[in-house]
Amino acid sequence: MSGKKVLLLAIVMSVGLSLGFANQKAMASEAEAGITAVTDEMESGTDEIASETDSSDSYVEVATDTEDLTDTDEEVIRVLDTDEDTVLYSGTDGILYQTEDGALYYVSASTGKSVISQLVEISSGSYKGTYYFGSDGYAVKNAFQIVSSSTYYFGTDGVKYTGTGKKTIDGYVYYFKSGVVQTGWQTIDGSTYYFRKTASSTMNKGAMLTGLKKNRGL
């Protein structure tokens, strides 16, 4: 091989090696950039996850009004704001609370949940008596309530009336036996009266009728 050919071959090999090294360097640079991008993305994702975790763990949203509740929230604990609500009674069975607007609710000691659609008897203290807590968890007040087919009256304080005899409520006379509203013909002190068996648009079940009335529809 002549000297010129050897020299040309050496130049070609040198250029090839230089190009190869440059390509390798470029590839290494691209790889490094890719690793950096992936690392940055992973760190960013970690920060986002940490941020989401911190935000979700920083508070617990609770219902503060019955309008916030859904059909699946019937057994929700009704300790809505015990720092503001007043404890009227605290016993081994539960605690009776009063809200700022005077509504009453009762939290059972055994379940930790507000009592719903049932009677609760408080046997001692200033708030002694039987209460009925409706489907919204609050005590029925100044109203009649049917419980297990019997009709009772709960006063303005939420306590069930337990007496026997005639009692005037909102302008109508009712007859009670041990707190249960009586209906139909009743003889009281030698006189016979009739008390509605069903409610009407203007009168509650158990309201006494006066004057002559037809038997149909009573």
Side-chain angles (χ1 to χ4, degrees):
M1 182 178 295
S2 65
K4 290 183 179 181
K5 289 183 178 179
V6 172
L7 180 59
L8 180 60
L9 179 60
I11 292 172
V12 170
M13 291 177 66
S14 177
V15 172
L17 289 173
S18 298
L19 290 173
F21 178 76
N23 289 336
Q24 290 179 358
K25 186 175 181 180
M27 292 173 64
S29 178
E30 290 178 0
E32 183 179 357
I35 292 172
T36 301
V38 171
T39 302
D40 291 342
E41 184 176 352
M42 291 177 64
E43 290 178 351
S44 175
T46 302
D47 292 340
E48 289 178 1
I49 293 173
S51 177
E52 291 176 1
T53 302
D54 293 342
S55 62
S56 62
D57 290 343
S58 64
Y59 69 93
V60 178
E61 186 176 26
V62 295
T64 56
D65 192 282
T66 53
E67 292 181 355
D68 296 333
L69 307 180
T70 65
D71 293 339
T72 60
D73 293 323
E74 286 189 353
E75 294 186 352
V76 69
I77 298 176
R78 201 169 295 283
V79 185
L80 304 182
D81 196 352
T82 52
D83 291 335
E84 296 295 333
D85 295 343
T86 303
V87 174
L88 300 183
Y89 167 84
S90 179
T92 56
D93 293 334
I95 302 174
L96 178 66
Y97 289 93
Q98 183 178 52
T99 65
E100 290 183 342
D101 59 2
L104 304 178
Y105 63 95
Y106 187 85
V107 177
S108 170
S110 61
T111 64
K113 298 177 181 179
S114 60
V115 170
I116 293 174
S117 300
Q118 72 181 69
L119 292 167
V120 171
E121 182 179 358
I122 294 178
S123 57
S124 63
S126 301
Y127 296 91
K128 179 179 179 179
T130 300
Y131 301 79
Y132 183 82
F133 297 91
S135 58
D136 60 357
Y138 294 107
V140 172
K141 291 184 176 183
N142 194 29
F144 292 90
Q145 179 68 45
I146 298 175
V147 183
S148 299
S149 73
S150 294
T151 302
Y152 302 96
Y153 176 74
F154 296 85
T156 55
D157 56 359
V159 176
K160 184 182 75 171
Y161 178 69
T162 59
T164 296
K166 290 190 296 183
K167 180 177 178 63
T168 302
I169 301 173
D170 296 332
Y172 294 98
V173 177
Y174 298 84
Y175 181 58
F176 294 83
K177 285 185 179 180
S178 299
V180 180
V181 174
Q182 304 299 301
T183 61
W185 292 104
Q186 302 289 331
T187 300
I188 306 169
D189 298 330
S191 299
T192 302
Y193 305 90
Y194 188 86
F195 300 87
R196 289 193 65 93
K197 289 185 177 181
T198 59
S200 70
S201 59
T202 58
M203 301 175 70
N204 290 316
K205 175 182 177 180
M208 186 177 76
L209 299 182
T210 58
L212 298 176
K213 298 289 181 180
K214 293 182 180 180
N215 288 332
R216 179 179 297 176
L218 297 180

